[in-house]
Amino acid sequence: MSWTAHDRERASDRWIDARTTGNAIVAEGLRKEYGDFVALDGLDLTVPEGTVCGLLGPNGAGKTTAVRILCSLLRPDGGRASAAGFDILADAPEVRYRIGLTGQSSAVDEALTGRQNLMMFSRLYHLDRESARARADELLGQFSLTEVADKPAKTYSGGMRRRLDLAASFIMAPQVLFLDEPTTGLDPRHRTEVWEVVRSLVGGGTTVLLTSHYLDEVDQLADNIVVVDRGKKITEGTPEELKSQVDGDRIDTVIRDTSQLTSAAEVIRRSAESEPEIDVAGRRVSVSVRDRVTALSRIARSLEDNGIPAQDIALRRPTLDEVFMRLTGDRDNGKAEVDR
C-alpha cells in the first residue's frame, strides 16, 4: 500500500510529537555527502530543552554541516530532524522563526551603531519602527551595551562585537540558539564576557547547541557533550562522564633537579603501578591513578625515601583536551570545517 502526502504528513507529525516532548533538538540518522566526501554519516542527536549541548570533533568531522542542517539552511541527503518542535524540512519557515544563529563570521555592520544594527535586524524580522526601537533598547540593556549603543560598531572591542552578534540573533527571543565557534579570536577576558551572556540566556530557558575548538569553553558551558568524528557520533556524556573515560585522575609531579627526572619517573611508576609520562622541558612527571588520595601519599613518600625532592605535586582531573585526544587522535584530515 502506497502512502499519500497526507499520510506522510501525519506520520511526520506523530514523530515530531513523540520525539520533541521535552527536547529542543532531535536528529535521527542525518546524512550529507559532498561528492565522494561523507560529511555526516547517520548522526543522531538529542538536546533537552533549557540545556547547553557541546558538539565537539576535529576539523571535517561534520559539526558545521550538522548546524546548517538543523537551522534548515542545508538540506540533508538522509535522516530527519526537528528544532524547536518543528520538522526542519516540512516546517522550515517555522524553524527559522524560532531559532537564532551566531556563526563564525560576524554579521554586524561596523559602520552602523549598535542600536542601528539591532533596529535593522528587527526590521528584517518585520517589526514596525517603534517596536524595533523598543526591542533594540531592551537587547542593548540585556547584553550590557547601553553605554556604547550610539557608537559605531567598528569602535567596539572584540567582546562587545560578539555580544552585539548574540543580541542580533536574539531579536525574536529564540527557543533554540546555535553558536558556531562563538568566541573565535577573542582574548580570555572577552571570551568570559560571552560565556556570562550565554549562561544568562540559558537561565532564561533558551536551549543552546555550541560548537567550539576551545575545549575549556565547552567544559565551562555544556551540560552534555557529543563528540563526532567522520560524520558519526562516537560518544556523549556530561563533561565529568567523559573525563572518567581517561584512566581516572592524574598526579603531576614537578622535580626540582632535571638530572633526577628519569629516576623520579621510575619511582612514580612503581608507586602508582601505571606508566608515567615525562615532560622534560617542564621537569614534570604525570601519571594516571585510581585511588587518588592513597596514590598521592604513596608517591610523595616514595620520592622522599629515594632522596628525590619534588618542587610541586598536584592531583587533578583529566581535561577535555585529553579526552578529545584519546577519542579522536591527533589528526587534521585537511577538510576545513567552514566548508563541511
Side-chain angles (χ1 to χ4, degrees), residues 100-103 105-108 118 121 135 139 142-143 145 158-174 177-183 186 190-199 201 206 208 210 221:
L101 169 64
T102 298
S105 301
S106 175
V108 170
L118 294 180
F121 283 112
R135 184 59 176 152
L139 289 169
Q142 182 178 357
F143 287 83
L145 292 169
M160 288 178 181
R161 283 197 198 93
R162 216 52 176 141
R163 294 208 304 272
L164 185 59
D165 254 337
L166 284 169
S169 69
F170 226 69
I171 295 293
M172 301 305 291
L177 182 60
F178 294 89
L179 299 179
D180 194 12
E181 306 288 348
T183 61
L186 297 185
H190 291 138
R191 288 174 62 208
T192 301
E193 290 177 359
V194 173
W195 293 356
E196 291 305 315
V197 171
V198 172
R199 291 189 182 103
L201 297 177
T206 299
V208 174
L210 166 70
L221 295 175

Side-chain angles (χ1 to χ4, degrees), residues 180-245:
D180 194 12
E181 306 288 348
T183 61
T184 297
L186 297 185
D187 62 35
R189 181 170 65 85
H190 291 138
R191 288 174 62 208
T192 301
E193 290 177 359
V194 173
W195 293 356
E196 291 305 315
V197 171
V198 172
R199 291 189 182 103
S200 175
L201 297 177
V202 175
T206 299
T207 302
V208 174
L209 180 65
L210 166 70
T211 75
S212 179
H213 284 300
Y214 299 120
L215 300 191
D216 62 325
E217 179 166 271
V218 179
D219 199 1
Q220 285 280 337
L221 295 175
D223 300 293
N224 195 59
I225 296 171
V226 174
V227 183
V228 296
D229 197 10
R230 305 181 191 276
K232 296 181 178 180
K233 178 172 69 177
I234 58 176
T235 192
E236 71 174 307
T238 67
E240 289 305 310
E241 286 171 345
L242 294 187
K243 290 173 186 177
S244 70
Q245 297 181 21

Side-chain angles (χ1 to χ4, degrees), residues 25-26 53 69 81 123 139 165 214 233 241-242 274 278 328:
I25 300 171
V26 177
C53 176
I69 289 175
R123 296 288 280 164
L139 289 169
D165 254 337
Y214 299 120
K233 178 172 69 177
E241 286 171 345
L242 294 187
S274 180
I278 301 175
T328 66

Side-chain angles (χ1 to χ4, degrees), residues 3 25 29 35 45 53 61 102 237 245-246 249 252 311 330 334 338:
W3 277 23
I25 300 171
L45 183 67
C53 176
T102 298
Q245 297 181 21
V246 186
D249 298 307
D252 291 341
Q311 182 174 316
D330 184 12
V338 70

Side-chain angles (χ1 to χ4, degrees), residues 267-304:
V267 170
I268 291 172
R269 184 191 66 78
R270 292 196 305 266
S271 300
E273 298 181 346
S274 180
E275 197 63 36
E277 299 172 2
I278 301 175
D279 175 9
V280 176
R283 294 179 284 110
R284 182 180 293 106
V285 181
S286 299
V287 67
S288 62
V289 296
R290 293 296 181 185
D291 190 340
R292 46 193 290 161
V293 176
T294 300
L296 182 64
S297 300
R298 187 187 303 129
I299 288 173
R301 186 168 55 251
S302 296
L303 288 172
E304 184 178 359

